[in-house]
């Protein structure tokens, strides 16, 4: 009896579509894996209750997290950070400040104050402590009057000018203390820039980090005045629930219109972070800030790139112009630090060279801007050194051309691991298909054997007789 050829290839006809689908899935998976490995990853897996929030690294200015960072909000008393910055930059701490009637009667009452009297005298340092620790509005007003030569508006212009110098684009202040006014507003991003300048000012940073301070007796008060920092993440003020390990200062704010606002500084693992949250119900200004700090400290790291020569190997005539012939004389200046996700490879950092402006240091020939994906993660400078420096032995070049004759290639471990994982996955799938094919083949053989056994002997005799008759005729 002849065997049916179609029955023999039946299993393969069923498997060919499955194999084609498998190959398409493998191709898609490998393409996605390679694209994922090449795409810079930036942690974004957190959300907060605050209407606006930002986390910025203080040294590099890198924004690690942002939510509606340019939306305009009322700042309330976090305004006083800029007041303090302008004060320390434009006065001496031992200058004597005299409280006027406007300073006392326009700023006390139901607002935050430390009960100063008309004609009372305090040093500028004492006024700043009173303003930043107890949020005393009369101290902020007295500071503004003193530095403005008796005119608060002069000082307010100084505040707005300083904000613009820091890069603020959504800020306009009309008073030195943050009391409600429709024309007094800012954004989380702008407050982070102001906070960056404040925490990098040693005098102001020390004041904001102080938990308590005592103003000695004055010409109007016979007893000393004790001040307590109201920031609950820094100081045990009414509660210890929100104390945060690494907190080094900040400023609280609240009005009915502004709701809670908060600026906080924290330092861990070489990083100083600035967190600003705005327009949020209490106590979530502390909850959001704590969660954002934890997330950023857990997911980012600081890298020192001063000696990271691999970041300069891609400098060419396109990026350095005429300096490309003297790339061995280029060197990173300033701090040489960048911020990266902990999972990132420093070699994935892109270095961009920008021209300098007139009036900068003579040896500075260009600015360095470090980027990772769409994020700017640090800046630096290029300087030109006139001393003789031995040429760098570039790999993959013969000695006569300035190379080392060392075969060199870059190993992309992430891509290798991704492909290895894909190969293992494909192997598992193929093994599963092999088992399935074996089972189908075994079942097919069993069915054929059963059919042969079940065939009637009378039918076989009948078929033989028919064949014989056909041959006879």
């Amino acid at each position: 009896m002849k065997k049916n050829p179609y029955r023999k290839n039946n299993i393969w006809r069923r498997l060919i579509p499955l194999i084609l689908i498998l190959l398409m899935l493998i191709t898609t998976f490998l393409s996605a894996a390679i694209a994922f490995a090449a795409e810079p990853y930036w942690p974004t897996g957190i959300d907060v209750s605050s209407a606006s929030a930002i986390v910025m690294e203080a040294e590099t200015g890198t924004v690690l997290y942002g939510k509606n960072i340019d939306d305009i909000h009322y700042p309330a008393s976090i305004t006083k950070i800029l007041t303090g910055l302008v004060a320390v930059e434009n006065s001496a701490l031992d200058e004597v400040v005299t409280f006027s009637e406007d300073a006392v009667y326009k700023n006390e009452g139901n607002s935050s104050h430390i009960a100063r009297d008309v004609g009372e005298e305090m040093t500028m340092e004492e006024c700043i402590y009173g303003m930043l620790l107890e949020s005393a509005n009369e101290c902020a007003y007295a500071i503004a009057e003193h530095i403005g030569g008796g005119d608060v508006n002069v000082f307010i212009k100084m505040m707005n000018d300083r904000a613009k110098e820091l890069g603020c684009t959504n800020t306009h202040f009309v008073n030195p203390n943050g009391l409600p006014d429709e024309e007094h507003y800012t954004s989380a991003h702008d407050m982070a820039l102001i906070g960056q300048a404040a925490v990098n000012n040693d005098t102001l940073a020390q004041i904001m980090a102080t938990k308590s301070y005592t103003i000695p007796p004055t010409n109007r008060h016979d007893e000393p005045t004790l001040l307590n920092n109201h920031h609950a993440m820094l100081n045990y003020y009414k509660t210890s629930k929100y104390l945060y390990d690494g907190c080094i200062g900040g400023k609280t704010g609240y009005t009915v219109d502004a709701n809670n606002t908060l600026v906080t500084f924290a330092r861990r693992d070489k990083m100083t972070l600035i967190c600003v949250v705005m327009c949020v119900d209490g106590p979530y200004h502390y909850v959001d800030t704590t969660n954002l700090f934890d997330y950023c400290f857990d997911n980012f790291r600081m890298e020192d790139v001063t000696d990271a020569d691999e970041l300069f190997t891609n400098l060419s005539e396109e990026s350095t112009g005429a300096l490309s012939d003297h790339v061995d004389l280029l060197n990173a200046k300033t701090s040489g630090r960048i911020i990266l996700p902990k999972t990132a490879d420093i070699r994935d950092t892109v270095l961009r060279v920008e021209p300098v402006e007139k009036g900068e240091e003579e040896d500075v020939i260009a600015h360095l801007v470090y980027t990772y994906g769409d994020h700017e993660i640090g800046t630096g400078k290029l300087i030109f050194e006139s001393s003789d420096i031995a040429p760098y032995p570039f790999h993959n070049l013969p000695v006569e051309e300035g190379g080392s004759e060392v075969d060199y290639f870059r190993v992309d471990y992430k891509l290798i691991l991704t492909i290895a994982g894909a190969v293992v996955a494909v192997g598992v799938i193929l093994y599963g298909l092999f088992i399935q094919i074996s089972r189908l083949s075994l079942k097919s053989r069993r069915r054929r054997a059963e059919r042969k056994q079940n065939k009637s002997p009378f039918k076989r005799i009948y078929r033989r007789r028919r064949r014989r008759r056909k041959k006879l005729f």
Side-chain angles (χ1 to χ4, degrees), residues 456-466 468:
S456 171
F458 298 104
K459 289 183 178 181
R460 290 198 297 271
I461 294 170
Y462 176 74
R463 289 194 186 97
R464 290 194 195 104
R465 287 178 179 176
R466 288 187 62 183
R468 289 173 185 171

Side-chain angles (χ1 to χ4, degrees), residues 145-448:
E145 276 190 327
H146 177 81
I147 296 177
D151 188 347
V152 173
N153 291 322
V154 172
F155 184 85
I156 292 170
K157 184 179 184 305
M158 294 171 67
M159 292 175 66
N160 287 316
D161 289 345
R162 187 70 175 102
K164 289 180 181 178
E165 290 175 5
L166 296 173
C168 298
T169 56
N170 294 294
T171 294
H172 182 258
F173 289 159
V174 296
N175 62 58
N177 43 37
L179 289 175
D181 192 295
E182 290 185 357
E183 296 301 315
H184 190 93
Y185 54 81
T186 187
S187 67
H189 187 204
D190 286 359
M191 281 308 308
L193 294 173
I194 293 168
Q196 181 185 22
V199 78
N200 286 325
N201 182 293
D202 293 339
T203 300
L204 197 58
Q206 180 181 348
I207 294 174
M208 291 187 294
T210 303
K211 297 179 180 180
S212 63
Y213 182 83
T214 300
I215 298 175
T218 69
N219 62 326
R220 292 290 189 271
H221 285 82
D222 296 332
E223 299 294 328
T225 303
L226 178 64
L227 309 177
N228 286 297
N229 198 316
H230 290 194
H231 201 306
M233 294 178 69
L234 174 71
N235 186 35
Y236 182 94
Y237 180 73
K238 296 182 179 180
T239 179
S240 62
K241 183 178 181 180
Y242 303 108
L243 290 174
Y244 189 79
D245 182 26
C247 181
I248 57 171
K251 184 71 187 76
T252 60
Y254 176 80
T255 64
V256 173
D257 293 331
N259 208 341
N260 287 282
T261 61
L262 188 68
V263 177
T264 313
F265 311 109
R267 182 176 295 133
R268 287 184 189 173
D269 303 327
K270 301 179 182 179
M271 289 196 303
T272 300
L273 301 185
I274 306 161
C275 181
V276 181
V277 295
M278 303 189 74
C279 192
V280 56
D281 295 333
Y284 293 102
H285 53 315
Y286 289 123
V287 174
D288 284 354
T289 300
T290 297
N291 291 338
L292 286 171
F293 274 150
D294 286 343
Y295 185 80
C296 290
F297 280 125
D298 288 343
N299 286 278
F300 293 91
R301 74 182 192 275
M302 177 171 277
E303 285 280 351
D304 190 336
V305 295
T306 302
D307 299 320
D309 294 333
E310 62 267 29
L311 296 180
F312 293 90
T313 56
N314 292 326
L315 289 176
S316 62
E317 185 172 357
E318 181 180 353
S319 59
T320 59
L323 295 174
S324 59
D325 294 332
H326 306 282
V327 70
D328 54 303
L329 299 180
L330 298 179
N331 187 27
K333 198 178 180 182
T334 70
S335 62
R337 294 178 187 269
I338 59 175
I339 300 297
L340 282 171
K342 287 187 176 180
T343 57
D345 189 333
I346 191 173
R347 293 172 299 179
D348 294 329
T349 299
V350 176
L351 179 59
R352 186 174 75 251
V353 180
E354 295 183 347
V356 297
E357 297 179 0
K358 293 182 179 180
E360 295 196 44
E361 301 169 75
E362 292 183 359
D363 57 345
V364 177
I365 53 176
H367 289 287
L368 300 178
V369 179
Y370 302 92
T371 58
Y372 178 76
D374 296 331
H375 299 269
E376 186 173 307
I377 58 173
T379 59
K381 296 178 182 178
L382 282 178
I383 61 171
F384 190 83
E385 295 182 349
S386 58
S387 58
D388 293 330
I389 302 176
Y392 181 80
F394 291 97
H395 297 316
N396 293 329
L397 289 176
V399 175
E400 58 270 17
E401 295 182 20
S404 63
E405 290 189 335
V406 175
D407 290 333
Y408 171 82
F409 64 95
R410 175 179 168 182
V411 179
D412 193 332
Y413 294 102
K414 291 190 294 185
L415 183 58
I416 291 174
L417 290 174
T418 302
I419 295 175
V423 171
V424 172
V426 171
V428 171
I429 294 172
L430 290 176
Y431 178 74
L433 283 174
F434 173 76
I435 297 298
Q436 188 66 21
I437 291 171
S438 300
R439 289 176 179 174
L440 291 173
S441 178
L442 180 60
K443 287 180 180 179
S444 179
R445 289 197 300 271
R446 285 177 178 174
R447 283 196 297 268
R448 287 199 300 269

